[in-house]
């Protein structure tokens, strides 16, 4: 409450006046008017919901309840495309939080004020934990290097750190988004680094566990079906016998290979571009910075990240991500093949192959008239292994004569 009142008071003192207007110099009782100039630091706007910040192009209104700053707002103005469905993926934002925390910790080793470094690390941790997701509004449509998102992250961490230290949002004091949060970094090396961190974390926390779970389920079915003999098929035509377990063992092997392919692509993903800065030379970093950042990221994620051996390749190309994408594409093809097989084997249940009984989780078609009764007849008949006619009569919905009169396939071939 005290901080809110203090900010409100400050906003009233900093109401903008036209450039031609004047105000009295302090202590002169209005006798000697001097031109009013806005302070270098950001000031609160007269409106309750915005503050005014500056970038190199001029002033911009920034929502008071957001930690991002002028450059983020500028990007929302320049890239009015995509909307919320095409915002920068949260895993990339979280990865940036991990990177910025690691960089701050290393920069402290190289002389960054511990008070500033600790505030940056705490704010970056909040980004990495997903606590500040609402402060990242930018879409994926940006300039090639992703400068806007890098600055979005820098501004959010800077302002959150400033808040922690009791400062004014947007003032860039005592934590500057460029000089401190982005120290020894460039969008050209931070964005590739964040992409690699995000990809590696998602592979290990989502993709591989999911594939392993599916593999284990299929392997269990392969064992359960080991004694079920069925006909094999080639090009959907009857061939020679095999067991259903053998058939499913093929799916199990596909999942094994899928995981192996993904894992084989990961060593290149673990190589980080951080430390290459603008073009790969490492300008504005210190000797050892790149190696230390990679080691910090490895410690924070529990994954074997290392610094990329050649920063020019790490900045100029994304072959590692293309390789991983290829492995994932192959995995997708495997999953599609397995899904189509199971769908085909579960077709029917009476007019298709009907070899597999798939769990019922949808009501089915809505075409039939008096629908509820028609559905009950069909489901009951299937469950009891009876005919539709016998079931309809047994349920008391139709007489034999009514069924014969109404259920005529030849009368169901078109509109009446």
């Amino acid at each position: 409450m005290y901080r809110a009142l203090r900010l409100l008071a400050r906003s009233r003192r900093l109401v903008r006046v036209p450039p031609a207007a004047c105000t009295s110099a302090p202590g002169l009782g209005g006798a000697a008017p001097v031109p009013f100039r806005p302070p270098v630091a950001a000031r609160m706007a007269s409106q309750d919901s915005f503050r005014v910040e500056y970038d190199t192009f001029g002033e911009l209104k920034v929502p008071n309840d957001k930690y991002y700053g002028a450059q983020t707002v500028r990007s929302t103005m320049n890239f009015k495309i995509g909307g919320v469905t095409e915002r920068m993926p949260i895993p990339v934002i979280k990865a940036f939080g991990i990177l910025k925390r690691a960089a701050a910790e290393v920069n402290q080793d190289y002389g960054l004020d511990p008070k500033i470094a600790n505030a940056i690390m705490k704010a970056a941790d909040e980004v990495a934990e997903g606590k500040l997701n609402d402060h990242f509004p930018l879409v994926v449509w940006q300039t090639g290097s992703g400068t806007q998102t890098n600055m979005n992250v820098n501004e959010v961490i800077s302002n959150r750190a400033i808040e922690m230290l009791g400062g004014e949002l947007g003032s860039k004091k005592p934590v500057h988004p460029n000089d401190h949060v982005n120290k020894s970094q460039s969008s050209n090396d931070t964005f590739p680094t964040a992409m690699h961190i995000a990809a590696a974390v998602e592979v290990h926390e989502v993709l591989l566990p999911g594939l392993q779970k599916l593999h284990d389920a299929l392997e269990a079915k392969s064992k359960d079906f080991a004694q079920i003999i069925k006909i094999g098929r080639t090009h959907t035509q009857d061939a020679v016998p095999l067991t259903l377990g053998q058939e499913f063992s093929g799916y199990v092997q596909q999942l094994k290979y899928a995981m192996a392919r993904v894992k084989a692509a990961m060593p290149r993903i673990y190589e980080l571009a951080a430390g290459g800065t603008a073009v790969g030379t490492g300008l504005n970093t210190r000797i050892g910075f790149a190696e230390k950042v990679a080691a910090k990221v490895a410690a924070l994620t529990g994954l074997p990240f290392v610094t990329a051996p050649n920063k020019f390749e790490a900045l100029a190309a994304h072959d590692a991500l293309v390789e991983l994408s290829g492995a994932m594409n192959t995995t997708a093809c495997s999953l599609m093949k397995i899904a189509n097989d199971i769908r085909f084997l579960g077709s029917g249940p009476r007019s298709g192959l009907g070899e597999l009984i798939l769990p019922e989780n949808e009501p089915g078609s809505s075409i039939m008239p008096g629908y509820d009764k028609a559905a009950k007849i069909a489901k009951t008949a299937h469950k009891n292994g009876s005919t539709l006619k016998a079931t309809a009569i047994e349920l008391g919905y139709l007489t034999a004569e009514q069924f014969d009169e109404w259920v005529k396939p030849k009368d169901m071939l078109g509109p009446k």
Side-chain angles (χ1 to χ4, degrees):
M1 176 63 75
Y2 170 76
R3 181 175 178 277
L5 292 173
R6 184 160 56 90
L7 291 176
L8 179 59
R10 185 179 292 117
S11 71
R12 289 174 176 170
R13 291 197 301 271
L14 297 177
V15 172
R16 185 172 185 266
V17 298
C22 295
T23 186
S24 300
L28 297 182
V34 297
F36 174 84
R37 290 185 175 86
V40 175
R43 54 189 171 79
M44 298 299 292
S46 58
Q47 298 92 335
D48 292 336
S49 58
F50 293 94
R51 63 181 182 270
V52 173
E53 293 194 23
Y54 299 86
D55 63 10
T56 56
F57 286 95
E59 68 177 34
L60 289 167
K61 291 182 178 179
V62 181
N64 276 332
D65 62 345
K66 299 301 181 186
Y67 290 125
Y68 55 72
Q71 290 200 47
T72 301
V73 172
R74 182 78 66 187
S75 180
T76 63
M77 296 165 58
N78 290 337
F79 298 92
K80 295 179 180 179
I81 183 175
V84 295
T85 61
E86 297 183 16
R87 283 184 177 174
M88 187 61 61
I90 289 300
V92 173
I93 300 300
K94 290 182 177 180
F96 261 108
I98 294 170
L99 171 59
K100 298 296 179 178
R101 193 219 192 274
E105 196 169 350
V106 174
N107 281 323
Q108 181 177 326
D109 295 340
Y110 287 113
L112 179 62
D113 185 340
K115 181 170 134 182
I116 293 176
N118 285 326
I120 291 174
M121 286 189 277
K122 289 178 182 177
D125 283 343
E126 292 185 355
V127 173
E129 293 164 5
K131 295 180 178 179
L132 304 179
N133 290 348
D134 291 341
H135 301 269
F136 297 96
L138 302 189
V139 293
V140 296
W141 310 109
Q142 309 183 13
T143 56
S145 61
T147 297
Q148 290 82 1
T149 283
N150 184 45
M151 284 309 303
N152 187 183
V153 174
N154 290 333
E155 290 175 338
V156 168
I157 292 176
S158 169
N159 274 325
R160 180 66 181 112
I162 288 170
E163 185 177 61
M164 291 176 178
L165 296 174
E168 179 183 329
L169 296 185
S171 66
K172 300 182 181 179
K173 296 179 181 179
V175 183
H176 196 285
N178 294 83
D179 298 344
H180 299 135
V181 183
N182 201 57
K183 185 177 177 62
S184 297
Q185 302 157 67
S186 164
S187 299
N188 293 333
D189 68 346
T190 60
F191 209 101
T193 299
M195 287 194 294
H196 278 225
I197 295 172
V201 170
E202 291 297 298
V203 163
H204 281 278
E205 294 186 359
V206 180
L207 179 60
L208 288 178
L211 292 176
Q212 187 65 55
K213 184 176 181 180
L214 180 57
H215 167 276
D216 294 346
L218 291 171
E219 187 174 48
K221 288 299 182 184
S222 179
K223 293 176 181 178
D224 291 344
F225 298 156
Q227 303 304 316
I228 300 176
I229 300 175
K230 56 160 287 186
I231 193 68
R233 297 183 182 85
T234 59
H235 306 288
T236 72
Q237 302 300 298
D238 293 348
V240 295
L242 80 167
T243 68
L244 188 57
Q246 289 173 322
E247 194 166 44
F248 267 67
S249 73
Y251 307 149
V252 175
Q253 190 64 42
Q254 283 184 278
L255 268 295
K256 285 183 180 178
Y257 285 149
M259 291 185 285
R261 290 186 184 99
V262 171
K263 291 176 182 177
M266 294 308 294
R268 271 72 65 195
I269 297 295
Y270 296 136
E271 296 179 359
L272 300 182
T277 62
V279 297
T281 60
L283 177 68
N284 287 338
T285 65
R286 302 285 289 274
I287 295 174
F289 176 84
E291 291 77 8
K292 288 185 177 183
V293 167
K296 295 292 184 184
V297 172
L300 290 169
T301 60
L303 298 174
F305 288 106
V306 295
T307 191
N310 187 295
K311 301 299 187 299
F312 305 102
E313 184 274 342
L315 268 63
H318 298 305
D319 294 351
L321 291 170
V322 175
E323 179 185 9
L324 177 59
S325 178
M328 294 170 66
N329 186 53
T330 304
T331 298
C333 291
S334 296
L335 296 176
M336 180 64 75
K337 184 264 189 292
I338 294 169
N340 279 335
D341 277 11
I342 291 176
R343 182 178 64 162
F344 192 48
L345 294 173
S347 61
R350 295 194 176 190
S351 299
L353 294 181
E355 291 184 1
L356 298 179
I357 300 175
L358 305 180
E360 297 178 0
N361 58 8
E362 292 287 346
S365 174
S366 60
I367 188 177
M368 302 306 295
Y371 173 82
D372 292 335
K373 293 181 179 179
K376 186 171 183 180
I377 291 171
K379 291 180 179 294
T380 303
H382 177 61
K383 179 180 179 181
N384 296 335
S386 182
T387 65
L388 295 176
K389 182 176 181 179
T391 303
I393 295 171
E394 182 181 345
L395 292 173
Y397 293 156
L398 297 173
T399 65
E401 292 75 15
Q402 287 174 322
F403 188 92
D404 291 336
E405 180 182 356
W406 294 343
V407 184
K408 296 179 180 179
K410 67 178 182 179
D411 291 339
M412 301 178 184
L413 305 179
K416 295 183 187 248

